[in-house]
Amino acid sequence: MWQRLGQARLFLSDSQFGTCPCHHGGGIALPNDTSIALHETLGFQKVAHFKEVGRKFERWIDVGYWQLLPGDQVNAEPGFIR
């Protein structure tokens, strides 16, 4: 299934993100291939992986953290992710 990146790309477009001297980060409950693909397509890089730090749906889950720093290349071109 293919999904558009519309709002995420709009949020991270040069006109809205390029002037912000902010560090952006996101924690993702793993596994979550769609969310990982979204973040990495936008330029986020994985910076941490914590094993069995929480429970969800009666099982232990890992949590990964992705980060986008000021000056990192933001991929804001229209497109799709899988």
Side-chain angles (χ1 to χ4, degrees), residues 1-2 8 13 28 30 32 37 39-41 46 52 67 76 79:
M1 171 185 279
W2 291 88
S13 69
I28 302 172
L30 303 174
N32 189 336
H39 283 80
E40 291 182 351
T41 297
K46 187 175 182 180
E52 298 183 354
Q67 184 176 40

Side-chain angles (χ1 to χ4, degrees), residues 32-81:
N32 189 336
D33 294 338
T34 302
S35 188
I36 291 169
L38 169 67
H39 283 80
E40 291 182 351
T41 297
L42 293 170
F44 284 73
Q45 295 180 357
K46 187 175 182 180
V47 294
H49 186 125
F50 299 96
K51 295 187 179 227
E52 298 183 354
V53 295
R55 289 186 58 82
K56 185 175 182 179
F57 304 123
E58 303 297 321
R59 63 185 175 114
W60 286 101
I61 59 162
D62 294 356
V63 173
Y65 284 92
W66 276 256
Q67 184 176 40
L68 185 65
L69 299 175
D72 284 353
Q73 180 64 39
V74 176
N75 180 4
E77 296 298 318
F80 298 87
I81 62 167

